[in-house]
Amino acid sequence: MIRILHLSDPHFGASDPLVASAFLAEAETLAPDVTILSGDLTMRARRAELAEAKAFVERLPRPRLIIPGNHDIPALNQPFHRFFAPFKRYRQTFGANIEPIHTAPGLHVATVNSAKPFGLHADWSVGRLTHDGLYRLDQRLSGAPGTFRVLTLHHPLLAPVGHRRDVVQPLDDLLELLAKHRVDLVLCGHFHQSHLATIGQKQGWQCIVSQAATVCSTRLQGESQGFHLIRVMDDFIEIDRHVFHGDAFESDATFAFTRGESGWTSADLATRHETNRIA
Ligand SMILES: [Fe+2]
Ligand SMILES: [Fe+2]
């Protein structure tokens, strides 16, 4: 069994230190095989925020994989940094490679950057993949046959239930790539809402999407802070959704999926635990 701890969007600069401490304590207890943080470590990539984020990341269980989100690019009031060196401060803090790869026996995790400093569209916070980004991803997903394949990016593939918000673009091109390489699982964040489902029916290969809530920020979108713990057992996966409640995180639901010839489907075994989540 492989256990993946998926967290997202801590947003240092607008984080709750008590929730962050509770998460770190929980993460140490869970002792996953790999910890993956899918972006938005800060609010505006300010140096003090990055220092806080680094201290947090250094306490995450190893091995760990982190990527930047749209909030890890300096804001418009710092135009030089935003337009000419968008990831300079992030790189100075976390290392030069903003698209890391993690491999372990039976596991291959690729990443791609979907955060851009500007674009030819109104909302620059929306996730975009360039042709170069898709090409790099194609290369990165080509290796490691027979392993459980994971893609991590910041921006979501699934719109929130009942809301019109933009998902990462171009989505169809990305789904074609996921089908081509039989990717099993996609990890992302950005909406600050937990969402677990499958995608890719039209492309003939369904993969599981794990969109995590914010782990410790105060920027809540109708639900409490949370994270996902993913247990991979060959052709069967269970995902525990954890939410912050009172003074600690607790699991309030478990989602199960099975793998067949055309990918993953819900095992319909999802159980819901008693919860007092914010409605
Ligand atoms: Fe965020
Ligand atoms: Fe974001």
Side-chain angles (χ1 to χ4, degrees), residues 9 11 39-40 69-71 125 154-155 189-192:
D9 296 70
H11 281 285
D40 276 1
N70 54 300
H71 274 269
S125 72
H154 176 62
H155 288 89
H190 185 66
F191 284 156
H192 299 198

Coordinates of all heavy atoms in Angstrom, one line a residue, residues 9 11 39-40 69-71 125 154-155 189-192, ligand 2:
D9 N -2.9 25.0 -0.6 CA -3.3 26.3 -0.3 C -3.2 26.8 1.2 O -4.2 27.3 1.7 CB -4.8 26.5 -0.8 CG -5.0 26.4 -2.3 OD1 -4.8 25.3 -2.8 OD2 -5.2 27.4 -2.9
H11 N -1.5 29.4 2.2 CA -1.7 30.8 2.1 C -1.1 31.5 3.3 O -1.8 32.3 4.0 CB -3.1 31.2 2.0 CG -3.7 31.1 0.6 ND1 -3.4 32.0 -0.4 CD2 -4.5 30.2 0.1 CE1 -4.0 31.6 -1.5 NE2 -4.7 30.5 -1.3
G39 N 0.3 23.9 -4.1 CA 0.4 25.3 -4.4 C -0.3 26.3 -3.5 O -1.0 25.9 -2.6
D40 N -0.2 27.6 -3.8 CA -0.6 28.7 -3.0 C -0.1 28.6 -1.6 O -0.9 28.6 -0.6 CB -2.2 28.8 -3.0 CG -2.7 29.6 -4.2 OD1 -1.9 30.1 -5.1 OD2 -3.9 29.8 -4.3
G69 N 1.5 28.1 -6.6 CA 0.2 28.4 -7.2 C 0.2 29.9 -7.7 O 1.2 30.6 -7.6
N70 N -1.0 30.3 -8.1 CA -1.1 31.7 -8.6 C -0.8 32.8 -7.5 O -0.3 33.9 -7.9 CB -2.5 32.0 -9.2 CG -3.6 31.7 -8.3 OD1 -3.7 30.5 -7.8 ND2 -4.4 32.7 -7.9
H71 N -1.0 32.4 -6.3 CA -0.7 33.4 -5.2 C 0.8 33.4 -4.9 O 1.2 34.3 -4.0 CB -1.5 33.1 -4.0 CG -2.9 33.7 -4.0 ND1 -3.1 34.9 -3.4 CD2 -4.0 33.2 -4.5 CE1 -4.4 35.2 -3.6 NE2 -5.0 34.2 -4.2
S125 N -6.1 34.8 -12.5 CA -6.0 33.8 -11.5 C -6.3 32.4 -12.0 O -6.1 31.4 -11.4 CB -6.8 34.1 -10.3 OG -8.2 33.9 -10.5
H154 N -1.7 23.1 -9.7 CA -2.4 23.9 -8.8 C -3.9 24.0 -9.1 O -4.8 23.9 -8.2 CB -1.8 25.3 -8.6 CG -2.5 26.2 -7.7 ND1 -2.7 25.9 -6.4 CD2 -3.2 27.3 -7.9 CE1 -3.5 26.8 -5.8 NE2 -3.8 27.7 -6.7
H155 N -4.2 24.2 -10.4 CA -5.6 24.6 -10.7 C -6.5 23.4 -11.0 O -6.0 22.3 -11.4 CB -5.5 25.5 -12.0 CG -5.0 26.9 -11.7 ND1 -3.7 27.2 -11.7 CD2 -5.7 28.0 -11.3 CE1 -3.6 28.5 -11.4 NE2 -4.8 29.0 -11.1
G189 N -5.7 22.1 -6.2 CA -6.3 22.8 -5.1 C -7.0 24.0 -5.7 O -7.9 23.9 -6.6
H190 N -6.7 25.2 -5.2 CA -7.2 26.5 -5.7 C -8.6 27.0 -5.3 O -8.7 28.1 -4.9 CB -7.0 26.6 -7.2 CG -7.3 27.9 -7.9 ND1 -6.5 29.0 -7.6 CD2 -8.3 28.3 -8.7 CE1 -7.1 30.1 -8.3 NE2 -8.1 29.7 -8.9
F191 N -9.6 26.1 -5.4 CA -10.9 26.6 -5.1 C -11.2 26.6 -3.5 O -12.2 27.0 -3.1 CB -12.0 25.6 -5.7 CG -12.2 25.9 -7.2 CD1 -12.7 24.8 -8.0 CD2 -11.9 27.1 -7.8 CE1 -12.9 25.0 -9.3 CE2 -12.1 27.3 -9.1 CZ -12.6 26.3 -9.9
H192 N -10.3 26.0 -2.7 CA -10.5 25.9 -1.3 C -11.7 25.1 -0.9 O -12.4 25.4 0.0 CB -10.5 27.3 -0.6 CG -9.3 28.1 -0.8 ND1 -8.9 29.2 -0.1 CD2 -8.2 27.9 -1.7 CE1 -7.8 29.7 -0.5 NE2 -7.3 28.9 -1.5
Ligands
FE2 FE -4.9 29.5 -6.3

